[in-house]
Amino acid sequence: TKHNALGQAAYRGHASCVQALLAAGAHQAAPNPDQETPLFMGCMQGHVRCVELLLDHSLEYLETPSNDARMPGFTPLIQAAWKGHSACVAALLAAGADPDLCSLPNSFGATETALTVGCFNGHPICVELLLVAGATPDLYVPDGAASVTALYSCCHVVPESDGMRRSLQRKI
């Protein structure tokens, strides 16, 4: 397996194991080979109780980016928004995660924010949470040769997302 015990417990959603491991001194900084911390792994799978336990223990890794080639520089917040795990998005924002933090560029030169991936994948609850937390709807992020905004992602990539489009337009 690519995970240490704490990462495995967070990935699988075993909150009681996460709690026991943290109490025994397990360190949150021990990432897997893709630099995915236990917090990132909990967010990837949407296990909000594990995420909350990890955040209660330490905020040091709140914005630690992954090094996975498929999603370089995704923070736990970007990963949670990508997957549509709104409870994890809410917990991360409440802990102080920056809603406008950009990922590292992928192989096409594109970067992402939690808002752009939430729009791209059609997750309106995540989008609304990010907007309420102060995400900048007209923030341009590099997308290869161009730059895009969350509104562009919402309008041109996910045309059925009228509710998100209206929500973003109210904020602009």
Side-chain angles (χ1 to χ4, degrees), residues 104-118:
L104 298 173
N106 65 19
S107 59
F108 302 107
T111 61
E112 304 289 356
T113 65
L115 189 58
T116 59
V117 300

Side-chain angles (χ1 to χ4, degrees), residues 27-95:
H27 194 52
Q28 290 190 53
N32 67 18
D34 291 326
Q35 295 303 110
E36 297 163 340
T37 62
L39 180 61
F40 185 93
M41 300 307 295
C43 289
M44 178 185 289
Q45 297 302 105
H47 298 304
V48 69
R49 184 64 190 128
C50 294
V51 168
E52 291 168 341
L53 287 166
L54 291 162
L55 290 172
D56 287 346
H57 187 62
S58 173
L59 297 178
E60 187 175 348
Y61 306 100
L62 182 61
E63 295 179 341
T64 301
S66 75
N67 194 26
D68 187 323
R70 297 163 297 163
M71 48 192 154
F74 269 33
T75 63
L77 180 62
I78 295 172
Q79 181 62 25
W82 175 265
K83 295 279 194 154
H85 299 309
S86 57
C88 292
V89 168
L92 292 162
L93 290 169

